[in-house]
Amino acid sequence: MIADSFGRVHDYLRISLTDNCNFRCFYCMPEEDYDFTPASRLMQPNEVLALASTFVEQGVKKIRLTGGEPLVRKDAAEIILALGKLPVELVITTNGTRIAEMLPVLIEAGIKSVNISLDTLQPEKFFMITRRDVFHQIRSNIELLLQHKIAVKINMVVMKGLNDGEIKDFIDWTKHNPVQIRFIEFMPFAGNKWTSNKMFSLEEILAVVEKYFVVLPVKSAPNDTAKSFMIPGHEGSFAIISTMTAPFCSTCNRMRLTADGKIKNCLFSDGETDLLTALRNNEDVLPLIKASIWSKKKELGGQLLTNFENIDADAIKNRSMITIGG
C-alpha cells in the first residue's frame, strides 16, 4: 500500500510514454519547435514494465497510459502488450489519430476504455487548435472503438471564447451515442498562457447544459475526479472535471510517472523524484516512491489557490502539460 501523510491510499498510476505529440495544441505544447526528450532519457520498455510492476506489487489497481501522444512512440505496442499482462486495469488517453492501426494491440492488451482528447466538433476550429487537419480521421476512429464495444470518454477542455459555445453540441452527441463527454476546466501549466478569464467553470458549464436539458446527478465512484451527470433519454452521459473551482484532492489516489522516469505526487507539484536513474543504478526504487507520496501536499500541489481568480500562472513552478503526461 502506498499512502500519504493524510491517509490517502494511492492505487492509480498514470504513465507517460513520451512527451512527443503529432498535435501542437497551444494549451498543452505551445511551440512548434519544442525540443522533445531524447530517446536515451526516456524509460525503455523493460524499464516501464519494471517500474509498473513495482507499483502493482504495492497495490496499484489501475494504470493509464498518457503522453504527449502515447501511440506515436515506435515501441508503444511492445509496452502496451507487456503492461496488459499485469493484474491491473489498463486504460489509455490518446488524441485518437492512430487508433485504427493500433486497435488490435489495444484489444489484445485488454484495454476496454479509451479517453480521446477532442476540444471541438468543428473541423476548421479543430485545425486552428491542433494545427493538424485530421478531424474526420479522429471521428472515424471513435466510431471504430464504439463498434468494438470499447468505452469512449471524450476529454474536452472548455475555454471561454474558444469552444464554450459548443457545449450543447457535445451534449447532443450523447443523444444516440454511448460516449461520455468530460468537460474539463482549463488549468494553468508552464507556457500555456493561462488566465482566469479564459476559464469556464463547473457552474457555468452546468448552467449551459441545464438551459437545454434536464440534468440528473449520478453518484460518483470512490476517487472519481469527475462529477457525473445523465440526461434522460440520452444513450451517453457527461461529466465535469472541476480542478479549479471544486477540487477533489481529499480523495486523490493518483500518482504520475513522467516519460523520463520521474514520479510526481500531484499534477501541480513543484517537485519530482527521479526513479529511472535509481533503477538504472540497480537501486531499490520503493523507498523513493513511498517518500514521494508521503510528502504529497494536502491539495493542488500546495501551489494553487482555491480562489482561481487570484492565481498568478507565471509564478507556478511546474512542467508543461505535455512533459507531465496529464
Side-chain angles (χ1 to χ4, degrees):
M1 187 175 72
I2 304 171
D4 66 15
S5 62
F6 301 97
R8 295 172 293 198
V9 174
H10 290 63
D11 58 7
Y12 179 5
L13 176 66
R14 301 172 67 98
I15 303 176
S16 174
L17 296 187
T18 179
D19 62 349
N20 202 341
C21 188
N22 49 354
F23 284 4
R24 294 296 182 271
C25 303
F26 67 87
Y27 64 84
C28 179
M29 186 174 63
E31 304 300 332
E32 184 76 32
D33 59 354
Y34 173 85
D35 290 326
F36 298 111
T37 303
S40 62
R41 286 173 45 202
L42 295 177
M43 295 183 291
Q44 300 306 300
N46 63 311
E47 293 168 337
V48 175
L49 180 61
L51 289 174
S53 297
T54 298
F55 280 96
V56 172
E57 289 167 1
Q58 296 300 311
V60 163
K61 300 173 183 175
K62 181 176 182 178
I63 292 177
R64 177 174 298 279
L65 301 179
T66 68
E69 169 46 45
L71 298 183
V72 301
R73 183 163 164 160
K74 293 180 180 179
D75 52 8
E78 178 185 352
I79 296 171
I80 292 169
L81 290 173
L83 294 177
K85 295 177 182 177
L86 295 177
V88 68
E89 177 189 357
L90 184 63
V91 293
I92 188 168
T93 296
T94 169
N95 62 29
T97 52
R98 298 198 65 201
I99 288 296
E101 57 195 285
M102 293 292 289
L103 186 61
V105 172
L106 303 182
I107 292 173
E108 184 177 345
I111 292 178
K112 296 179 175 60
S113 179
V114 174
N115 286 24
I116 304 285
S117 301
L118 182 64
D119 296 318
T120 178
L121 296 177
Q122 301 174 16
E124 299 81 6
K125 190 181 293 183
F126 178 91
F127 180 78
M128 185 270 289
I129 293 174
T130 67
R131 306 174 205 176
R132 299 295 183 265
D133 187 16
V134 291
F135 174 80
H136 297 291
Q137 175 184 334
I138 290 169
R139 285 300 303 265
S140 175
N141 283 341
I142 291 171
E143 293 303 317
L144 186 62
L145 288 169
L146 295 175
Q147 290 168 15
H148 284 81
K149 307 302 181 185
I150 295 175
V152 174
K153 296 179 181 179
I154 305 296
N155 290 344
M156 189 264 212
V157 178
V158 189
M159 289 163 279
K160 193 171 293 185
L162 178 69
N163 59 0
D164 55 302
E166 294 188 63
I167 291 173
K168 181 181 181 297
D169 297 333
F170 275 89
I171 295 294
D172 286 339
W173 189 9
T174 70
K175 175 69 174 177
H176 301 293
N177 295 278
V179 296
Q180 183 187 76
I181 307 299
R182 289 153 53 93
F183 298 113
I184 303 173
E185 291 180 345
F186 185 31
M187 294 175 279
F189 293 96
N192 75 346
K193 301 179 176 66
W194 182 94
T195 57
S196 61
N197 61 2
K198 293 179 183 176
M199 212 206 71
F200 210 71
S201 70
L202 162 71
E203 289 190 358
E204 290 173 306
I205 295 167
L206 274 179
V208 171
V209 181
E210 290 173 339
K211 182 178 177 181
Y212 302 99
F213 305 97
V214 173
V215 175
L216 302 177
V218 176
K219 184 178 181 181
S220 298
N223 310 116
D224 268 357
T225 59
K227 297 168 178 63
S228 299
F229 305 89
M230 64 166 290
I231 297 172
H234 280 229
E235 192 172 348
S237 62
F238 77 98
I240 302 173
I241 299 179
S242 55
T243 305
M244 303 304 296
T245 62
F248 29 81
C249 302
S250 63
T251 59
C252 183
N253 66 335
R254 287 156 174 75
M255 302 170 283
R256 289 171 168 81
L257 190 59
T258 64
D260 57 350
K262 310 295 195 303
I263 182 174
K264 284 181 67 71
N265 58 28
C266 173
L267 185 59
F268 298 107
S269 63
D270 60 359
E272 55 192 35
T273 301
D274 186 355
L275 300 186
L276 182 56
T277 298
L279 181 71
R280 289 178 175 178
N281 290 335
N282 294 315
E283 299 171 14
D284 184 2
V285 299
L286 184 56
L288 298 176
I289 293 171
K290 291 194 170 184
S292 171
I293 301 307
W294 186 259
S295 68
K296 185 170 183 168
K297 300 294 195 300
K298 186 176 182 180
E299 58 183 12
L300 298 174
Q303 291 205 85
L304 299 190
L305 303 170
T306 52
N307 183 4
F308 72 90
E309 291 92 346
N310 296 324
I311 291 174
D312 179 2
D314 292 332
I316 297 173
K317 298 177 181 178
N318 203 357
R319 294 178 176 227
S320 62
M321 172 64 92
I322 196 168
T323 61
I324 297 173

